[in-house]
Amino acid sequence: MYQRQFQRIQPQTTAHLAQTMTLLSMNVDELNQEINRALAENPALVMKEERRCPGCGKLLSGNQICPVCSKPKSAQSDEAIVFLSPRSEFSYAKSAPDEDIYMDEVDNTDEVSLAEFILRQIAYDLENQDRIVAAYILNQVDEDGFLNENLAEIANYYHLPLSRIENVKRMIQHAEPVGVGSATPEEALMVQLEVINESNPVPPYYFDIIRMGFGVLSKKQFAQIAKALKISNTEAEKAVDFISKNLYPYPARAHWGNFRLPSEEKGQVYSHPDVIINHMNNDPTLPLVVEIITPTYGTLDINPLYKQAIKQSAEETKEDLKTDYEKANLLIKCIQQRNNTMQRLMEKIVHIQRAFIDQGEKFLEPITRAELSKELEVHESTISRAVSNKSVQLPSGQIIPMDLFFDKSLGIRSVLKEIIESENKDQPLSDTEIVDQLKSQGYPLARRTVAKYRSMEGILPAHLRKQERKGK
DNA sequence: CTATGGCACGGATT
DNA sequence: AATCCGTGCCATAG
């Protein structure tokens, strides 16, 4: 039975492969867009009503039964339940474009609605002319919330003084979500910091750190920052921590969805995790619940009317209808395949990296994509695609890039951090000494490598660590 | 003279 | 085929 269905799309097998590959390498946000696009332009494709678990109210995909509620309470704590979790916060366009019911869903992801959202906040305080300018600017803002347009040109076009345009831009930037309309991530951060500063004053060097640029921030180079601004290392660390926790460089993304949790570790912000890992009922003795987020709120299906239409229509239109039908069929198959791969992959990863998930970085098992691909009997590149560009939320609330599960050195780096933290601060360990320490703990490394890891973690060299101590 | 960072090479990984 | 990563050598700062 499955055989036959598969046969039908055999002639397009290369297309099938190509599409599976591209879908696999997409994260939830991108997949959401892709599905919306397909829904909009292919009449054969429809979104069926959502189905919820009668027990817990979770959205279910396809014919699946709720994996959480169907699990007996006596489940082993080392088990993990991996399942697909459709999310209602992903809005999709209904097949009939004239409907705007979905607009009053909680979140508005469209640029249009973001623009409207902001415009409503500031419209009262603007004169008519300025309102037009504001509308224009908001329409030029890209999906991250940035404005790449030259203000002087806008001023020219509307025959208004530049200062007036700047004023409008300022108002947009200060409206929620704060920072939209900036030209760069740095500018957005500046605006956000200014706003915070008005109610809760922050030390002035916070601004200087942002001026140093986004790159320094995301790499967490405390040492450099401290040196350049003549502040202590801990002050620098505190500042960067504050910034990554309270500010968000892509203002429009942060507004999108309500559960933004900045990844503290990397100083980067991921808006929607692709996978969420939790303990059942937040109880660490219960099994893990692994949700693979899918943007299909409801189920994708072939429009039943469409099949009839094909039979009844005249010969010449039949062909067109048929290609639509096959395209839709293909997409559904590919998405299923993607889901299946993700599910199998996460099952393996969670099993292997269980210690890491429960107990932290130190226990990250060094594993390569190649090894995993053998176990799962898929091609290496499949794993690569499935893993890249995706993010995972851990039970701790941290959001990490999925690549991290394959980071060979992270485990060692965290041991290194421990060693340095517990060292005698008056006589800091030199790199050579750290090599010995690590070797005795079962991590043979070259001296040069220790130095690399140290700088990756933003830890100063031995002689400077001593100074740091004095300065305090 | 020692500790460290820069550059570049080679092997592994993607 | 391209990229990443560990490592060795060498220059330089302390």
Side-chain angles (χ1 to χ4, degrees):
Chain A
M1 177 177 163
Y2 284 111
Q3 284 285 332
R4 191 183 291 165
Q5 284 189 342
F6 199 71
Q7 286 295 322
R8 202 175 273 163
I9 53 173
Q10 273 299 312
Q12 302 180 351
T13 191
T14 45
H16 180 239
L17 278 175
Q19 191 163 14
T20 316
M21 274 160 51
T22 38
L23 286 180
L24 191 59
S25 55
M26 284 194 260
N27 60 33
V28 249
D29 294 342
E30 289 158 354
L31 188 63
N32 184 38
Q33 281 182 17
E34 177 67 22
I35 291 176
N36 277 334
R37 205 180 51 77
L39 278 171
E41 69 187 33
N42 190 339
L45 201 61
V46 290
M47 186 73 87
K48 277 211 294 203
E49 273 303 290
E50 74 198 81
R51 212 166 50 78
R52 287 176 187 276
C53 164
C56 61
K58 259 191 188 317
L59 280 164
L60 302 176
S61 75
N63 304 322
Q64 87 181 148
I65 45 166
C66 179
V68 178
C69 295
S70 63
K71 204 78 193 169
K73 295 235 165 64
S74 60
Q76 295 287 310
S77 68
D78 60 340
E79 272 183 65
I81 311 166
V82 181
F83 68 100
L84 301 170
S85 171
R87 286 281 155 149
S88 56
E89 76 254 21
F90 289 96
S91 65
Y92 61 91
K94 300 249 162 104
S95 29
D98 53 342
E99 286 188 59
D100 57 356
I101 307 162
Y102 68 97
M103 286 293 284
D104 46 54
E105 278 288 317
V106 195
D107 75 296
N108 299 309
T109 65
D110 298 342
E111 286 165 48
V112 189
S113 54
L114 176 65
E116 253 174 44
F117 180 72
I118 294 178
L119 199 55
R120 262 181 232 151
Q121 294 176 61
I122 60 175
Y124 261 141
D125 304 325
L126 293 176
E127 291 171 35
N128 276 342
Q129 254 180 337
D130 291 339
R131 225 175 274 180
I132 296 167
V133 175
Y136 174 78
I137 292 179
L138 283 169
N139 266 322
Q140 299 306 311
V141 161
D142 68 17
E143 56 183 3
D144 289 330
F146 296 127
L147 176 71
N148 298 313
E149 201 99 340
N150 188 341
L151 287 190
E153 275 172 29
I154 302 178
N156 236 330
Y157 183 81
Y158 285 100
H159 304 293
L160 290 170
L162 184 59
S163 61
R164 203 155 160 187
I165 309 285
E166 277 170 351
N167 192 37
V168 174
K169 179 185 165 187
R170 236 182 60 86
M171 294 193 57
I172 292 174
Q173 285 178 311
H174 282 76
E176 285 291 328
V178 181
V180 171
S182 306
T184 60
E186 286 88 351
E187 194 185 339
L189 292 177
M190 283 306 265
V191 176
Q192 289 162 19
L193 192 55
E194 278 166 24
V195 170
I196 291 176
N197 195 32
E198 278 166 22
S199 50
N200 289 312
V202 295
Y205 58 77
Y206 278 33
F207 290 97
D208 295 324
I209 292 177
I210 294 177
R211 264 181 221 114
M212 287 178 71
F214 194 38
V216 191
L217 272 176
S218 55
K219 284 183 195 140
K220 288 215 159 191
Q221 293 152 333
F222 306 128
Q224 277 190 25
I225 295 172
K227 217 171 175 184
L229 299 178
K230 301 200 169 80
I231 55 177
S232 81
N233 225 24
T234 37
E235 277 172 331
E237 197 173 331
K238 234 173 96 184
V240 173
D241 195 48
F242 178 87
I243 290 170
S244 68
K245 269 192 183 144
N246 295 293
L247 310 183
Y248 27 97
Y250 302 99
R253 279 194 216 169
H255 169 249
W256 217 62
N258 296 325
F259 57 103
R260 176 189 66 89
L261 284 175
S263 157
E264 295 163 28
E265 202 50 42
K266 296 292 167 198
Q268 282 173 346
V269 176
Y270 300 92
S271 44
H272 279 112
D274 297 272
V275 175
I276 297 180
I277 304 178
N278 252 314
H279 281 104
M280 201 186 270
N281 302 333
N282 287 325
D283 180 348
T285 62
L286 289 175
L288 282 180
V289 177
V290 183
E291 299 175 60
I292 296 166
I293 310 301
T294 59
T296 50
Y297 150 65
T299 314
L300 277 178
D301 201 1
I302 306 265
N303 189 343
L305 296 174
Y306 214 82
K307 291 182 196 168
Q308 285 186 9
I310 290 183
K311 282 182 199 153
Q312 293 166 2
S313 66
E315 274 307 313
E316 57 287 4
T317 48
K318 211 168 189 167
E319 279 306 306
D320 287 349
L321 293 178
K322 220 169 176 178
T323 51
D324 273 348
Y325 172 82
E326 258 153 29
K327 260 195 203 163
N329 203 3
L330 185 66
L331 184 73
I332 292 170
K333 280 267 142 48
C334 290
I335 288 178
Q336 277 174 6
Q337 194 148 323
R338 179 196 128 109
N339 289 342
N340 186 30
T341 313
M342 291 296 290
Q343 195 165 354
R344 292 203 310 141
L345 174 66
M346 284 315 297
E347 269 164 20
K348 262 276 157 11
I349 290 186
V350 167
H351 179 71
I352 294 172
Q353 302 292 17
R354 187 57 191 262
F356 163 71
I357 292 167
D358 288 340
Q359 303 166 54
E361 291 185 354
K362 204 176 145 186
F363 300 90
L364 187 76
E365 197 70 28
I367 181 170
T368 69
R369 294 160 230 257
E371 291 171 63
L372 210 59
S373 73
K374 267 190 190 162
E375 285 202 46
L376 287 171
E377 293 174 321
V378 293
H379 197 273
E380 293 172 12
S381 67
T382 310
I383 308 278
S384 263
R385 291 172 193 285
V387 155
S388 64
N389 198 15
K390 305 226 171 49
S391 53
V392 180
Q393 182 175 336
L394 300 180
S396 63
Q398 250 187 32
I399 298 181
I400 57 164
M402 208 159 151
D403 292 334
L404 213 74
F405 286 120
F406 300 90
D407 190 321
K408 198 175 151 202
S409 62
L410 189 73
I412 307 180
R413 290 211 302 274
S414 75
V415 176
L416 179 130
K417 260 197 278 185
E418 270 180 22
I419 292 178
I420 292 185
E421 262 162 41
S422 61
E423 80 189 350
N424 179 352
K425 304 283 180 192
D426 295 321
Q427 282 178 344
L429 296 163
S430 77
D431 286 353
T432 334
E433 287 163 317
I434 297 176
V435 172
D436 293 339
Q437 290 259 334
L438 281 170
K439 198 189 280 170
S440 68
Q441 294 194 32
Y443 301 101
L445 279 184
R447 189 230 94 218
R448 192 61 194 78
T449 312
V450 170
K452 275 268 160 73
Y453 287 174
R454 199 169 40 64
S455 68
M456 279 171 90
E457 296 295 334
I459 301 171
L460 289 167
H463 57 282
L464 287 177
R465 290 209 299 278
K466 198 166 176 181
Q467 268 186 15
E468 158 79 6
R469 188 77 187 153
K470 276 184 191 164
K472 215 175 172 186

